[in-house]
Amino acid sequence: METANANDGVDGPTNAKTLQPRAFQYEMLHESLRRNIIVAMDTGSGKTLIAILRIQAELEKAPSEKLVWFLAPNVALADQQAKAITEQIPSVQTRLLRGADGVDHWSEQWIWDEVLKNIKIVISTHQDFFHPELEINKEHVPAILGLTASPVVNSKAGKLDRTPKTHREELLRLTHRPMLVTLTYHPVPPARQFPLLPNLGQLRMSLDIEQDPYVKALMQSSPTASDSPELRRVKLNRKTYCQEQLKSLHIRGQTVDKELGSWGTYWYIIACIQKLQLGVRNRSASLDLLDDDEKVYLERCLGNLLSCVTEETVPGFDKECISAKVLRLIEFLLTEHTPGFSGLIFVKTRAEVAVLSELLSTHLSLKEHYKVSTFIGESNSVKRRTNVAELIDVRYQVSTLDDLRFGRKNLVVTTSALEEGIDVSACNVVICFDHPPNLKSLIQRRGRARRSESKFALMLADHDDRSTISTWHELEVAMRKQYENDMRELRDLETLEAIDEGDREFVVEKTGAKLLLSDAVSHLYHFCATLPTGRLSNVAPVFTYQDNSQVLGQRAITAKVVLPISVDVSVRQASSQSAWITEKNAKRDAAFEAYKQLYYAGLISDNLLPIQGDDEAIANVKAEVGKMPSLVQVAGQSNPWHLVAHHWQSTTNDSSLYCYDISLQQTDETIVRMHMLLPCSLPVIRDPIPLFWDASTTFSASIYLSCSTPPEMHHAAQSTGLLLSSVFRSRMDAARFDFVALFAPAEEHQNTDWMERFGGTFKRESSRPPDDSNSSLSSWGIIRDLTRNGVPHILRGFEEQSSELDTSDPQDNENKEKKILLHVARFPKRTDFLHPATPRKENPLDGANKILLRPEDCEIDRLPLPYAYFAAMVPSILHRIGVRLLARSLCDTLLAPVELSQLDLVITATTTTASREPSNYQRQEYLGDSVLKFLTSLTLVSERLHWHEGILSSAKDHIVSNASLAKAALEVGLDTFIQNKAFTGYKWRPLYVSDIVNTTADESREMSTKTLADVVEALIGAAFLEGGFDKAIAALKVFLPRVLWSGVSDRNDILLSSYNIPITYPPHFTQLEQLIGYTSSNKTLPLEALTHPSYTGTNVTASYERLEFLGDVCLDIVISSTSFAHNPPIPTHGLHLIRTAVVNANFLAFLCLTLSIPIPRTTITTEGKNKVSSHETTIPRHIWQFMRQSPAAAVRRAQQDCLNRYQALKAPILESLQQGTHIPWSLLARLDAPKFFSDVIESLLGAIYIDSHGSLAACEGFLDTLGVMGYLRRLMQGGVALYHPKEELGQLADTESVRYEIFKGDGGDEEGRFGCAVWVGEREVARVENGFCVLEVETRAAEEAVRIFKTTKLGQV
């Protein structure tokens, strides 16, 4: 393939806003796919974009052994094209072949085999297109695309020329022809001449040839060398290297003198001599090809020439020393300078380039307006030796074109090197200092002046041959005529487009919405504007036209529209129904048909507007849900004992009762064992209930179905009354025994006489210790202080105390009576033993203030203290039982379709943090949130195969929103099962059957919509934990019945079958499969997963957005389920922090940039004619390099900018990820990776999930290969601070507000840099600058503020 421009015009890298090819470029692409052609288009019209598209298309379909060979007319262009192609198509290896590589010595087959191993694209000049085996078979001509701005005139070759016809109007609008200007001058020699040039000529002719180093070497080579033919030849023609160098310098000096004047000649010769001298002194590498004797000889000869220069012979910088031609040029430049000026000056020789650029740069009137640079061509030959007459080093012109593009330079002096193909920014002035050598050069140079109202200037001497002047004037007239013809053609087309050819309409009967033909284009553009897109993608529809006039005998235009790649392939294209006179109406017709297609595919609503993820049912609910406040009134909590009470009313005999044993224990000792009678069964309570008596004493109650004979119901009722009255006497009705739960002692022999033995109280009047004082204190009942209204106490022991007698008689002291006092402790007032008691602060006076009671002031319960303990704990035990009854009720009613059996999961899911229960919904909500999003996304993406990612995301966001889930919770009545009130036992009263039955529902309560939504997600998580996705789907059917939920396997089958699309799998994508560690059975999936929304190639599936939508939730569910299952369990907040860190887009992008596999590449070294060797190395191949995108500059520039940042940040980020104690938030933010880097990771996950029939294990395997799972394991193990600096700063700031102020700084580049100041309260705490993006500077500022807070006490800065 041959091109005349690397990336010119409408789609060059200077125009990053144009993100997709034009219709006329598509026209040429499709024409080239049909047959071999030469595209003839003006310079600047985007020919190379066509070439890139054609290469991409070829790589998609060509067998792995086939090559693409790109031919350029010169080395500079080959270099540039190699860079452009490598950047645009990084997924395959390219190789640039240059003469300097010694290509002309690669004459053996093995060398070419090594050179082309693993290579898919070769770039070279025409001279280097050589291979012993590449003889063209006349019966099989390879696919060829030629690109030129100068059409071929040869009749045979001319048949291949193609220029856009159908889309010519668009091409005319985008290309600008310059105005031709002739600059006439009178060529008189400069008034002042200087002796340096004549002296150089005399020096060359006067040199003794026998002193030349080459002649000396010949004479010394052998005794008979003086008679050798070579020596005689050299002496005769004086052609040695040194003589040729002096000759070249003299001839070029003469050219400079003639064209530029004596000042230029003097400066040129002096500069060449000084460069030689400096090179010899510094042993410059540029002189390595000179022998030492030659260096010394030339330096001595030319140094002698300098000795003749005096102050009188130095020319001044005035008109007398500058040619009339240059003066005319300066005059023209002084009139043409405008803001944003950009220009080229073409000269014949390299010497003129050097001298003219120096002259213009130092001219007093020009240097303040023009920043001058140079550009010359490069030699192909590896044999080229150093030329003393060369001043410009091509190594230093690498940045010249970028300097011109970005305004750092605005005028370039060049040879013909910039005529063809080189990517030059559009100029507003192009000057031919000499006549263009031919028509091709003229056309190429003129094409460089392609800005609007640009000028193309030709310099003509007034004494030029009349025919020459006439020719250029005729050319000027022809150019003006061509320009006028183009404008006339454009005006004719615009007049034609104004014809009204009628209208038609499409009406939706249901709503009456109407689409007119005249409105179709604007409607279609509006639809495309709603598509998901980033700043690097263009979502405009592309219209192409077909002229059928020759077939139909009259003007007949048809149109086809192609919608952006994110639209489903089944409705992506549409064609006009009819043929039209005008393109305008053909376009309307195609848009009309496309919009109808979209409507029938469900992408347009009945109101003929783009849908936003709502079908009719969801839309109605969404309207209601959208009005929900953050706090809502919900039903009171259901009484779990209500059903038990109703069972009591229907119970008539003891045989229908359920008897449970409750064992109250302390450590391994059973304190008391009781029977509990209920009319219905209890849910299984496997674990003992911890009961916290005080800060140092903990009991446990174990409940299990009893194997003993239950007591009679009426005895149990009486024993319950006795039991509860020991603690709750003031809260009971002594005449009522219809308790909802009955308790009786477990010892069967006590059932009959238990009441008689332990009923009532007694008083101990004796002041002596009881006979059983040495027995267990627990056998005593509660001691009530009658002096204080019967305040209950617990006996701790006995103390003796002498009576205090009021007498002075010593004899009476002997008769003092020793009294026994009761050492007691207060019976706890608290009735909540489910939560640990707050430890009392130690008081040194506690021992002195111990409670001692006189027996005669007390009343003692006969009921032993262990029963009183049990009675006090009954409210707590019944609460725990009630919680399980409530959960079972939820499972038996609302969640019956789910068939949940693990009641603990349900209890956890319906318990809020405010209830202070042992567990709450937060961890299960974390998991359920991921499960919900995964199943919702899977359902949507498989149910709505036509929906693009934007609609899918909108629909998913609605379904999983807090408002939607809260609405669902209220609709099904879930609110009555949610526990959001802590148990305190405060004012607890015994539960009576009649009260419960006759009591209406609790009053309504206020609850946040987030709590309602969280409980729904926690229940989904519970269902998933018990029965995987099947039970989770069953739960979703309960809460969100409007969504068409079905089994995961069914959804996977639908998705996999939808990718049964015939495509050509690019051979190099096998490397991608090796890289990610997964080989796809369905090759469409990885191809789509790597297709950027900007892609415009021919092998089209869809963009990666739908797969990225699915892969996002695959990533989420893998990370969430893995971290949830970690042992020991990670707290909820830690789970969220870990997930945030691991699914972070910059983190995924970093891994995408890092993961690679080595690809072999052979390097050929040429040393001399017969010394060719090969050396195999490897180059890394990364995931992002396989991404298919538009060949326009924006995406690649974003990639390159990110790669530059990545190279600087790679080492510190890797070190932090592998060994750091903090997540490298600021470094990752500084990476500022474009979203597509992380998108392709998620789209590959989606592709793997579908291809593996829904295997999350396969997804996890890819994440392990990528490095995600390894870092996840490191975070779960601990030792890494998880908080984001902004979150940590918020915590340190406590109640003070935190504010981030962003400002733009001067970063020294085109875009500048960002800075940030962070304020806490009313003080500035930290300030950072020189950031690439807002997120980076905010994160760095927060990090610095955190550091300051931690290093200063109490955050006082």
Side-chain angles (χ1 to χ4, degrees):
M1 297 182 182
E2 178 180 352
T3 180
N5 207 344
N7 240 325
D8 41 358
V10 284
D11 290 289
T14 60
N15 190 358
K17 291 184 179 179
T18 304
L19 300 176
Q20 77 178 27
R22 305 282 183 174
F24 63 83
Q25 291 165 327
Y26 276 125
E27 181 183 345
M28 294 293 93
L29 169 65
H30 293 304
E31 185 73 15
S32 76
L33 290 171
R34 291 197 307 111
R35 59 181 180 138
N36 292 342
I37 63 168
I38 300 172
V39 174
M41 286 167 37
D42 284 346
T43 299
S45 57
K47 295 182 294 298
T48 296
L49 185 56
I50 300 171
I52 296 292
L53 290 170
R54 183 66 179 86
I55 294 173
Q56 287 179 334
E58 196 65 31
L59 292 175
E60 295 277 340
K61 66 178 183 178
S64 57
E65 68 274 8
K66 295 295 184 180
L67 286 174
V68 173
W69 205 299
F70 195 108
L71 298 176
N74 56 57
V75 176
L77 180 55
D79 283 343
Q80 180 180 287
Q81 295 290 31
K83 179 182 178 182
I85 292 172
T86 302
E87 289 180 354
Q88 295 291 346
I89 312 176
S91 57
V92 298
Q93 289 196 56
T94 60
R95 168 147 271 158
L96 171 64
L97 300 182
R98 305 172 50 171
D101 298 325
V103 177
D104 48 352
H105 297 313
W106 299 352
S107 57
E108 298 183 38
Q109 181 65 46
W110 73 267
I111 301 176
W112 284 99
D113 291 342
E114 291 295 312
V115 168
L116 301 179
K117 184 188 296 183
N118 298 317
I119 301 297
K120 294 299 296 181
I121 306 174
V122 182
I123 304 99
S124 73
T125 62
H126 303 88
Q127 296 95 319
D128 297 323
F129 182 60
F130 169 78
H131 191 297
E133 301 297 322
L134 289 179
E135 296 182 3
I136 296 179
N137 185 339
K138 294 183 178 180
E139 296 180 358
H140 181 68
V141 178
I144 299 172
L145 170 63
L147 300 166
T148 183
S150 47
V152 200
V153 294
N154 178 281
S155 59
K156 183 176 180 180
K159 294 179 181 180
L160 298 175
D161 283 358
R162 286 294 178 271
T163 189
K165 300 183 183 303
T166 308
H167 302 93
R168 184 160 179 76
E169 178 185 358
E170 182 180 25
L171 177 60
L172 291 173
R173 290 183 187 279
L174 292 173
T175 53
H176 305 284
R177 294 185 183 274
M179 178 176 67
L180 180 63
V181 177
T182 55
L183 305 179
T184 306
Y185 63 94
H186 182 64
V188 294
R192 296 179 60 191
Q193 297 292 332
F194 300 94
L196 190 59
L197 181 62
N199 290 347
L200 176 61
Q202 293 174 8
L203 171 67
R204 184 171 69 87
M205 299 305 298
S206 63
L207 289 175
D208 183 357
I209 190 65
E210 292 190 359
Q211 299 301 313
D212 189 284
Y214 182 65
V215 174
K216 284 185 175 182
L218 287 176
M219 294 176 66
Q220 297 171 4
S221 61
S222 68
T224 59
S226 57
D227 296 327
S228 67
E230 174 65 12
L231 182 60
R232 289 197 300 272
R233 183 189 65 78
V234 169
K235 286 183 177 181
L236 181 64
N237 59 27
R238 302 177 66 88
K239 286 189 176 181
T240 68
Y241 180 71
C242 290
Q243 292 291 327
E244 290 299 312
Q245 290 292 294
L246 294 172
K247 179 180 178 182
S248 173
L249 182 61
H250 184 227
I251 292 173
R252 295 189 188 192
Q254 291 176 323
T255 303
V256 170
D257 190 67
K258 176 183 176 184
E259 297 294 329
L260 306 179
S262 55
W263 181 92
T265 309
Y266 174 86
W267 180 87
Y268 171 69
I269 295 173
I270 295 296
C272 288
I273 296 173
Q274 290 175 343
K275 180 185 177 185
L276 173 64
Q277 292 175 331
L278 183 63
V280 171
R281 284 199 305 271
N282 297 338
R283 299 184 179 275
S284 172
S286 63
L287 300 178
D288 285 349
L289 295 179
L290 285 175
D291 293 335
D292 290 339
D293 291 342
E294 291 174 330
K295 295 177 187 176
V296 172
Y297 182 75
L298 285 173
E299 183 186 19
R300 185 177 67 249
C301 292
L302 293 174
N304 292 336
L305 189 66
L306 279 182
S307 63
C308 302
V309 178
T310 64
E311 291 186 5
E312 292 75 17
T313 60
V314 176
F317 196 77
D318 52 41
K319 294 182 179 180
E320 294 182 350
C321 303
I322 300 175
S323 70
K325 190 175 185 181
V326 172
L327 291 174
R328 181 69 182 94
L329 172 65
I330 293 172
E331 178 186 348
F332 178 70
L333 288 174
L334 288 172
T335 62
E336 289 301 313
H337 180 266
T338 57
F341 175 92
S342 178
L344 298 176
I345 301 176
F346 286 97
V347 298
K348 282 184 180 179
T349 67
R350 297 180 176 210
E352 290 174 82
V353 170
V355 176
L356 186 57
S357 66
E358 176 67 18
L359 192 154
L360 298 178
S361 298
T362 55
H363 192 281
L364 292 176
S365 300
L366 295 177
K367 66 179 182 180
E368 62 181 271
H369 299 300
Y370 293 99
K371 293 168 285 187
V372 186
S373 186
T374 62
F375 193 92
I376 60 174
E378 298 181 47
S379 170
N380 248 352
S381 176
V382 72
K383 301 175 183 178
R384 184 183 180 92
R385 299 186 73 189
T386 302
N387 193 330
V388 174
E390 291 281 1
L391 279 181
I392 300 175
D393 191 332
V394 295
R395 295 175 297 177
Y396 301 127
Q397 67 182 28
V398 175
S399 63
T400 295
L401 300 183
D402 282 341
D403 290 343
L404 181 66
R405 182 178 301 116
F406 294 119
R408 294 187 287 267
K409 303 290 184 181
N410 60 2
L411 183 63
V412 176
V413 183
T414 181
T415 60
S416 59
L418 286 187
E419 281 182 359
E420 290 188 282
I422 302 295
D423 177 23
V424 178
S425 218
C427 300
N428 48 5
V429 171
V430 172
I431 302 168
C432 290
F433 195 72
D434 302 291
H435 299 169
N438 50 51
L439 180 60
K440 177 183 177 182
S441 292
L442 175 74
I443 294 173
Q444 296 283 8
R445 294 180 182 185
R446 183 193 68 186
R448 296 303 182 197
R450 58 179 184 269
R451 285 190 186 174
S452 179
E453 300 181 357
S454 57
K455 293 181 180 179
F456 178 55
L458 290 172
M459 301 201 71
L460 298 175
D462 56 9
H463 65 62
D464 277 351
D465 183 84
R466 288 184 175 275
S467 62
T468 303
I469 297 176
S470 176
T471 299
W472 295 117
H473 281 301
E474 288 175 4
L475 176 61
E476 180 179 4
V477 172
M479 287 177 64
R480 290 182 183 277
K481 185 177 180 181
Q482 179 64 49
Y483 177 76
E484 291 169 358
N485 288 341
D486 288 346
M487 292 300 100
R488 188 179 301 110
E489 182 180 352
L490 192 56
R491 288 194 296 272
D492 291 344
L493 289 171
E494 289 172 348
T495 302
L496 194 62
E497 291 297 317
I499 297 176
D500 184 5
E501 297 184 72
D503 210 339
R504 72 174 189 268
E505 63 182 31
F506 170 73
V507 179
V508 179
E509 294 184 4
K510 184 176 180 180
T511 61
K514 184 183 298 185
L515 174 68
L516 299 177
L517 187 70
S518 55
D519 298 331
V521 174
S522 61
H523 274 66
L524 192 61
Y525 270 90
H526 173 64
F527 167 80
C528 290
T530 66
L531 297 174
T533 179
R535 61 185 180 86
L536 301 177
S537 301
N538 192 325
V539 293
V542 175
F543 291 88
T544 56
Y545 305 94
Q546 182 68 41
D547 190 347
N548 303 295
S549 303
Q550 293 182 350
V551 177
L552 300 177
Q554 60 181 1
R555 184 171 174 83
I557 305 296
T558 57
K560 181 176 78 171
V561 60
V562 180
L563 302 183
I565 196 173
S566 56
V567 178
D568 186 71
V569 66
S570 63
V571 290
R572 193 178 299 153
Q573 297 184 17
S575 299
S576 54
Q577 259 191 353
S578 309
W580 302 81
I581 297 175
T582 65
E583 286 186 3
K584 177 183 69 178
N585 282 308
K587 180 178 182 178
R588 289 175 174 176
D589 192 358
F592 188 84
E593 295 301 317
Y595 211 73
K596 286 200 304 180
Q597 273 188 184
L598 295 172
Y599 171 76
Y600 290 126
L603 298 173
I604 301 296
S605 71
D606 287 336
N607 294 315
L608 292 180
L609 294 173
I611 66 170
Q612 298 297 321
D614 310 333
D615 56 25
E616 186 175 357
I618 291 179
N620 294 333
V621 176
K622 189 173 182 180
E624 299 177 16
V625 167
K627 302 174 184 177
M628 288 190 70
S630 58
L631 291 174
V632 293
Q633 289 296 122
V634 302
Q637 182 176 318
S638 176
N639 188 339
W641 296 100
H642 193 272
L643 185 61
V644 178
H646 279 282
H647 277 294
W648 275 118
Q649 289 187 323
S650 60
T651 300
T652 58
N653 55 69
D654 295 342
S655 62
S656 61
L657 297 179
Y658 290 83
C659 181
Y660 292 89
D661 278 351
I662 302 179
S663 178
L664 185 64
Q665 295 176 313
Q666 184 180 11
T667 59
D668 295 332
E669 180 185 357
T670 299
I671 306 301
V672 67
R673 194 161 64 89
M674 300 291 290
H675 285 316
M676 180 174 66
L677 299 183
L678 292 171
C680 57
S681 65
L682 286 181
V684 176
I685 306 176
R686 293 186 175 86
D687 298 324
I689 301 171
L691 299 164
F692 304 95
W693 183 255
D694 56 32
S696 59
T697 307
T698 302
F699 294 96
S700 63
S702 300
I703 304 174
Y704 46 89
L705 192 63
S706 177
C707 298
S708 306
T709 303
E712 294 181 2
M713 186 165 42
H714 69 281
H715 287 308
Q718 290 178 343
S719 61
T720 301
L722 173 60
L723 187 73
L724 296 180
S725 65
S726 66
V727 179
F728 304 104
R729 183 179 302 173
S730 62
R731 304 180 190 180
M732 295 178 62
D733 187 344
R736 297 180 65 182
F737 294 93
D738 59 334
F739 302 105
V740 75
L742 302 181
F743 299 96
E747 291 80 3
E748 295 184 13
H749 65 278
Q750 292 182 348
N751 286 341
T752 55
D753 62 352
W754 191 78
M755 287 291 296
E756 296 178 1
R757 290 179 57 202
F758 298 126
T761 62
F762 67 93
K763 291 188 67 176
R764 184 177 294 276
E765 300 292 348
S766 173
S767 61
R768 293 187 179 276
D771 295 336
D772 57 352
S773 60
N774 295 323
S775 64
S776 173
L777 296 178
S778 63
S779 63
W780 285 57
I782 292 177
I783 300 174
R784 304 181 188 277
D785 185 358
L786 298 179
T787 65
R788 299 181 63 189
N789 296 320
V791 174
H793 293 79
I794 302 170
L795 180 64
R796 294 299 190 204
F798 303 94
E799 288 199 11
E800 293 185 356
Q801 181 175 337
S802 299
S803 301
E804 298 293 337
L805 300 178
D806 188 12
T807 176
S808 59
D809 187 350
Q811 188 174 2
D812 290 340
N813 290 333
E814 297 177 2
N815 299 323
K816 285 182 180 178
E817 183 183 359
K818 291 185 177 180
K819 303 186 68 173
I820 300 300
L821 299 181
L822 304 179
H823 177 201
V824 298
R826 281 288 302 269
F827 195 89
K829 289 183 179 181
R830 60 193 296 260
T831 49
D832 170 21
F833 299 102
L834 295 176
H835 304 103
T838 304
R840 287 182 57 194
K841 293 183 179 179
E842 292 187 6
N843 189 339
L845 299 177
D846 281 351
N849 295 332
K850 62 184 178 181
I851 304 174
L852 298 174
L853 300 179
R854 297 190 305 177
E856 59 268 25
D857 294 335
C858 298
E859 186 178 71
I860 303 172
D861 287 356
R862 296 184 183 278
L863 185 68
L865 191 60
Y867 291 107
Y869 284 167
F870 181 83
M873 296 176 185
V874 163
S876 298
I877 294 171
L878 291 182
H879 174 76
R880 281 282 183 264
I881 294 173
V883 168
R884 300 191 74 81
L885 287 171
L886 185 64
R888 185 175 69 178
S889 175
L890 174 59
C891 292
D892 292 343
T893 54
L894 177 60
L895 296 181
V898 188
E899 299 181 350
L900 292 175
S901 61
Q902 298 183 32
L903 217 55
D904 289 332
L905 294 175
V906 178
I907 293 171
T908 298
T910 54
T911 304
T912 68
T913 54
S915 65
R916 298 178 60 207
E917 292 295 308
S919 64
N920 60 65
Y921 63 63
Q922 289 186 325
R923 274 176 50 85
Q924 283 182 201
E925 180 272 332
Y926 166 83
L927 180 62
D929 173 74
S930 291
V931 173
L932 170 63
K933 289 176 180 175
F934 174 78
L935 292 174
T936 301
S937 298
L938 179 62
T939 298
L940 288 172
V941 80
S942 58
E943 183 71 22
R944 306 291 185 175
L945 295 174
H946 294 317
W947 280 9
H948 56 73
E949 185 269 338
I951 307 177
L952 292 171
S953 293
S954 177
K956 184 197 79 172
D957 290 345
H958 162 65
I959 292 172
V960 305
S961 69
N962 284 345
S964 176
L965 296 177
K967 179 75 174 178
L970 293 175
E971 285 182 347
V972 299
L974 177 63
D975 48 333
T976 64
F977 297 96
I978 298 175
Q979 299 182 72
N980 70 335
K981 186 176 181 181
F983 171 76
T984 64
Y986 180 67
K987 293 185 179 181
W988 184 87
R989 297 175 61 85
L991 306 177
Y992 297 104
V993 171
S994 55
D995 290 346
I996 295 173
V997 171
N998 297 325
T999 302
T1000 56
D1002 290 348
E1003 295 181 359
S1004 63
R1005 48 188 171 154
E1006 194 174 59
M1007 190 176 292
S1008 70
T1009 52
K1010 183 180 186 307
T1011 298
L1012 290 166
D1014 286 350
V1015 171
V1016 172
E1017 291 178 328
L1019 284 169
I1020 294 169
F1024 176 75
L1025 288 171
E1026 180 173 320
F1029 287 124
D1030 289 341
K1031 286 204 172 183
I1033 290 171
L1036 286 170
K1037 289 179 179 178
V1038 171
F1039 295 115
L1040 300 168
R1042 295 181 181 88
V1043 181
L1044 300 176
W1045 306 104
S1046 63
V1048 170
S1049 59
D1050 295 336
R1051 292 297 177 188
N1052 295 337
D1053 291 342
I1054 293 172
L1055 281 174
L1056 190 58
S1057 63
S1058 71
Y1059 281 91
N1060 188 20
I1061 305 170
I1063 55 100
T1064 302
Y1065 195 60
H1068 61 275
F1069 263 59
T1070 55
Q1071 295 176 351
L1072 172 69
E1073 295 178 337
Q1074 297 172 25
L1075 176 58
I1076 66 176
Y1078 182 85
T1079 302
S1080 297
S1081 300
N1082 187 316
K1083 301 302 184 183
T1084 304
L1085 286 161
L1087 195 64
E1088 182 174 311
L1090 272 297
T1091 301
H1092 188 268
S1094 67
Y1095 181 68
T1096 52
T1098 54
N1099 190 21
V1100 178
T1101 54
S1103 63
Y1104 60 55
E1105 291 160 308
R1106 277 174 57 89
L1107 287 176
E1108 182 264 330
F1109 172 79
L1110 179 60
D1112 176 72
V1113 291
C1114 290
L1115 171 65
D1116 192 84
I1117 191 67
V1118 169
I1119 300 303
S1120 298
S1121 58
T1122 302
S1123 57
F1124 183 89
H1126 185 265
N1127 192 20
I1130 300 170
T1132 308
H1133 193 55
L1135 291 173
H1136 285 286
L1137 291 174
I1138 288 173
R1139 181 167 65 185
T1140 300
V1142 175
V1143 304
N1144 177 269
N1146 278 319
F1147 172 66
L1148 295 176
F1150 178 80
L1151 297 181
C1152 179
L1153 288 160
T1154 303
L1155 182 66
S1156 67
I1157 56 171
I1159 302 297
R1161 183 179 180 90
T1162 302
T1163 301
I1164 299 296
T1165 303
T1166 304
E1167 299 177 1
K1169 184 175 181 180
N1170 298 315
K1171 295 183 180 180
V1172 180
S1173 59
S1174 65
H1175 173 66
E1176 188 167 288
T1177 59
T1178 60
I1179 58 171
R1181 180 71 72 230
H1182 302 270
I1183 292 176
W1184 63 268
Q1185 292 176 301
F1186 292 90
M1187 190 174 75
R1188 308 191 304 166
Q1189 72 276 310
S1190 167
V1195 178
R1196 287 299 177 207
R1197 182 177 296 172
Q1199 283 181 337
Q1200 191 57 51
D1201 290 345
C1202 183
L1203 284 173
N1204 293 338
R1205 295 192 294 273
Y1206 169 78
Q1207 293 300 331
L1209 297 169
K1210 178 182 178 181
I1213 291 179
L1214 275 177
E1215 182 181 3
S1216 180
L1217 293 177
Q1218 294 168 0
Q1219 303 173 16
T1221 58
H1222 290 72
I1223 296 171
W1225 292 112
S1226 61
L1227 292 174
L1228 290 171
R1230 189 171 181 82
L1231 183 63
D1232 190 26
K1235 186 174 179 291
F1236 55 73
F1237 282 109
S1238 58
D1239 283 349
V1240 296
I1241 297 299
E1242 293 177 336
S1243 62
L1244 281 170
L1245 277 171
I1248 291 171
Y1249 176 83
I1250 295 173
D1251 186 75
S1252 63
H1253 299 269
S1255 171
L1256 289 175
C1259 295
E1260 185 175 338
F1262 168 53
L1263 291 174
D1264 215 356
T1265 300
L1266 189 64
V1268 172
M1269 302 308 293
Y1271 193 55
L1272 173 62
R1273 287 188 286 270
R1274 182 163 188 261
L1275 295 181
M1276 291 191 300
Q1277 289 169 359
V1280 179
L1282 299 175
Y1283 280 103
H1284 190 280
K1286 294 179 72 174
E1287 186 175 2
E1288 188 173 4
L1289 178 60
Q1291 292 182 343
L1292 292 172
D1294 198 13
T1295 58
E1296 292 188 285
S1297 63
V1298 179
R1299 185 173 79 258
Y1300 296 87
E1301 291 185 356
I1302 303 299
F1303 55 88
K1304 290 291 286 287
D1306 182 13
D1309 57 10
E1310 298 102 63
E1311 298 180 358
R1313 299 290 172 86
F1314 291 95
C1316 176
V1318 58
W1319 292 71
V1320 177
E1322 297 302 319
R1323 63 192 186 281
E1324 181 180 312
V1325 177
R1327 174 179 289 262
V1328 298
E1329 297 178 349
N1330 196 32
F1332 287 104
C1333 64
V1334 171
L1335 177 61
E1336 178 206 342
V1337 291
E1338 285 186 347
T1339 306
R1340 286 171 50 207
E1343 274 187 350
E1344 179 63 14
V1346 167
R1347 185 191 65 78
I1348 292 172
F1349 262 89
K1350 287 183 175 180
T1351 54
T1352 54
K1353 292 182 179 180
L1354 301 177
Q1356 299 300 315
V1357 294

